[in-house]
């Protein structure tokens, strides 16, 4: 259902409000009803976190912001907020957020679809962050420190202390990440490269994870996945790559050049191999044009990297032909071991230093890959390893 402009615009009297279930609107910390009578502490926590009292129904918030109910619903839905009907559950912050998004559209800085994408990407990212903080962070910290104390008595003062610090830290990290992403974009050769870029894309996958899920207790499995994701994220970041996403037993990463991706993949194999608690790891990497959307990557290059991972032997790295060619082009690996031997012999004869390569490539048997035809994978090693 859509509310037209005469309903959602200014009026002398109170609006004729729509049916309760018609519009997706924000869902906060507690269940909302038309007359909020939930747990008093939950309401106090909500007020503390949001910084304001409940004042508006969704219809009133949209009207106060000067936004049609249809557009407000699209924004709220994109941010991942659940339906609350027409409960008086929204605050001045909700109104301000609507005004800002709509203002960006009105000023021509964002198209309406782009504004919805901004809302969706922000909502998805922060929802995951909030869930993690509650599940893994606050849950542990709010264990009653003394017998007789309830978690309720501990939570409010703890959140009151943490909230401003976590908020400032979140903004700091976001600005740092935004600066890095902006730098990559402005260095792109042209506008087309900003969207469709040539990247090295890699998947790292834990071998035999499905069997582990049947053998390990849930807590043990959770600890293993967390250790894997943490180690992978640290290694990818430390060596100049970008972690695209984690999928439990698998991580997807990208790098601007083949040498960086090769270093990351071998570091992953080496690091996990020294951890006796970890299963074997396998990595597949492809190099080519990649489409980026909302922080994710898509395209044939990504699909090829995934397929290479599925056929890679344990504790090994398989790469595609384009990746091998790129390593040779940049001087990170020889075209062949024969070439490397000839160069070394020539350098020795002329009293010069032979070229130093970081990596070695071993051609493997060609094989059909579902959906991608016949490919010739290469096994990646450290030079001399």
């Amino acid at each position: 259902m859509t509310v037209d402009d005469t309903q959602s615009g200014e009026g002398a009297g109170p609006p004729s409000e729509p049916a309760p279930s018609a519009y997706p609107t924000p869902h906060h910390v507690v269940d909302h009803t038309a007359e909020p009578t939930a747990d008093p502490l939950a309401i106090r926590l909500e007020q503390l976190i949001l910084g304001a009292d409940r004042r508006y129904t969704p219809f009133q918030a949209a009207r106060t912001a000067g936004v049609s109910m249809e557009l407000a619903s699209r924004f709220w839905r994109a941010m991942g907020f659940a339906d609350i009907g027409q409960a008086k559950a929204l605050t001045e912050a909700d109104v301000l957020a609507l005004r800002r998004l709509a203002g960006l559209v009105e000023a021509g800085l964002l198209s309406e679809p782009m504004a919805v994408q901004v809302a969706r990407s922000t909502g998805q990212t922060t929802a995951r962050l909030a869930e993690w903080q509650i599940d893994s962070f606050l849950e542990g910290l709010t264990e009653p420190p003394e017998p007789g104390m309830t978690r309720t008595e501990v939570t409010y003062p703890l959140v009151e202390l943490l909230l401003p610090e976590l908020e400032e830290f979140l903004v700091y990290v976001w600005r740092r990440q935004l600066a890095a992403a902006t730098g990559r974009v402005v260095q792109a050769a042209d506008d087309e490269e900003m969207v469709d870029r040539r990247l090295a894309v890699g998947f790292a996958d834990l071998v035999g994870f499905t069997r582990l899920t049947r053998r390990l207790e849930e807590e043990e499995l959770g600890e293993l996945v967390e250790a894997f994701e943490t180690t992978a994220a640290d290694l990818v970041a430390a060596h100049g790559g970008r972690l695209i996403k984690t999928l439990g037993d698998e991580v997807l990463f990208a790098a601007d050049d083949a040498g960086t991706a090769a270093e990351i993949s071998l570091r992953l194999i080496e690091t996990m191999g020294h951890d006796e608690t970890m299963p074997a790891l396998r990595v597949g990497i492809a190099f080519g044009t990649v489409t980026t959307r909302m922080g994710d990557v898509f395209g044939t290059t990504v699909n090829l990297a995934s397929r290479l991972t599925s056929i890679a032997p344990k504790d090994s790295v398989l790469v595609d032909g384009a990746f091998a060619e790129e390593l040779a082009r940049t001087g990170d690996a020889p075209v062949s071991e024969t070439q490397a031997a000839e160069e070394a012999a020539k350098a020795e004869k002329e009293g010069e230093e032979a070229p130093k390569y970081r990596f070695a490539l071993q051609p493997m048997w060609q094989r059909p890959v579902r959906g991608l035809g016949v490919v010739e994978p290469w096994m990646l090693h450290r030079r001399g390893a």
Side-chain angles (χ1 to χ4, degrees):
M1 180 184 296
T2 300
V3 177
D4 61 32
D5 291 338
T6 59
Q7 288 177 294
S8 58
E10 287 106 1
S16 174
E17 297 186 357
S21 61
Y23 305 107
T25 48
H27 170 76
H28 298 308
V29 179
V30 296
D31 286 337
H32 299 296
T33 60
E35 296 295 331
T37 56
D39 176 29
L41 177 72
I43 298 298
R44 288 178 60 215
L45 277 170
E46 180 188 84
Q47 291 170 343
L48 172 64
I49 294 170
L50 298 180
D53 296 335
R54 300 169 172 182
R55 289 188 56 187
Y56 303 101
T57 66
F59 187 77
Q60 291 168 339
R63 188 186 69 169
T64 304
V67 176
S68 72
M69 191 64 213
E70 180 183 13
L71 183 57
S73 297
R74 289 188 67 199
F75 285 151
W76 283 325
R77 188 183 301 117
M79 285 184 273
F81 298 145
D83 291 358
I84 57 166
Q86 288 301 318
K88 184 171 287 190
L90 307 185
T91 71
E92 289 290 349
D94 295 296
V95 172
L96 181 58
L98 285 178
R99 281 179 181 159
R100 282 177 170 158
L101 278 174
L104 291 171
V105 174
E106 291 171 6
L109 295 172
L110 294 177
S111 65
E112 188 172 307
M114 181 60 71
V116 172
Q117 280 192 13
V118 169
R120 179 169 289 112
S121 61
T122 306
Q124 289 177 355
T125 303
T126 53
R128 184 176 181 186
L129 175 63
E131 289 290 345
W132 180 89
Q133 288 174 332
I134 294 300
D135 292 344
S136 304
F137 185 47
L138 286 178
E139 186 175 321
L141 288 177
T142 53
E143 287 291 341
E146 298 178 11
M149 289 188 69
T150 65
R151 177 172 288 173
T152 296
E153 293 172 318
V154 178
T155 302
Y156 189 94
L158 181 64
V159 171
E160 191 172 28
L161 289 170
L162 285 174
L163 188 62
E165 302 299 327
L166 291 177
E167 182 177 15
E168 289 195 13
F169 184 69
L170 175 62
V171 172
Y172 155 73
V173 175
W174 170 71
R175 284 182 177 271
R176 269 289 178 187
Q177 295 285 7
L178 188 63
T182 303
R184 290 192 295 270
V185 168
V186 298
Q187 291 176 41
D190 51 43
D191 290 344
E192 185 176 340
E193 189 181 334
M194 290 168 60
V195 178
D196 297 314
R197 308 168 57 194
R198 285 179 62 79
L199 296 175
V201 177
F203 283 90
D205 176 58
L206 292 175
V207 179
F209 185 77
T210 302
R211 291 193 299 273
L212 278 176
T213 60
R214 294 193 289 264
R215 194 174 77 235
L216 296 179
E217 297 291 335
E218 288 186 5
E219 186 174 347
E220 293 177 306
L221 193 63
E223 290 174 354
L224 184 144
V225 168
E226 184 175 355
F228 168 58
E229 291 184 350
T230 299
T231 302
D234 288 349
L235 286 171
V236 169
H239 294 282
R242 297 186 298 283
L243 187 70
I244 304 299
K245 59 187 174 185
T246 59
L247 305 167
D249 62 330
E250 189 173 58
V251 298
L252 170 60
F253 64 93
D256 293 329
D257 62 270
T260 296
E263 182 64 30
I264 289 170
S265 63
L266 291 173
R267 291 273 182 173
L268 284 168
I269 295 290
E270 293 158 1
T271 302
M272 299 297 178
H274 287 106
D275 188 342
E276 295 181 355
T277 66
M278 281 288 169
L281 189 70
R282 57 188 176 186
V283 180
I285 316 177
F287 186 86
T289 301
V290 174
T291 298
T292 59
R293 288 288 188 280
M294 292 179 63
D296 208 343
V297 291
F298 308 92
T300 302
T301 302
V302 181
N303 295 338
L304 179 54
S306 177
R307 298 288 190 272
L308 288 170
T309 306
S310 67
I311 63 175
K314 66 179 182 179
D315 292 327
S316 66
V317 181
L318 280 189
V319 305
D320 73 327
F323 188 90
E325 289 176 7
E326 187 67 11
L327 280 184
R329 186 188 70 81
T330 57
D332 285 309
V335 173
S336 67
E337 289 304 309
T338 301
Q339 180 208 43
E342 290 173 352
E343 289 173 344
K346 181 180 178 182
E348 183 179 2
K349 182 178 180 181
E350 296 177 357
E352 297 176 354
E353 187 174 352
K356 292 183 178 179
Y357 298 106
R358 298 163 59 194
F359 309 109
L361 292 161
Q362 175 187 350
M364 308 294 288
W365 291 105
Q366 289 186 351
R367 65 191 71 189
V369 174
R370 182 168 53 88
L372 296 170
V374 177
V375 299
E376 182 182 359
W378 297 69
M379 187 84 75
L380 177 72
H381 305 281
R382 285 204 185 280
R383 186 71 178 156

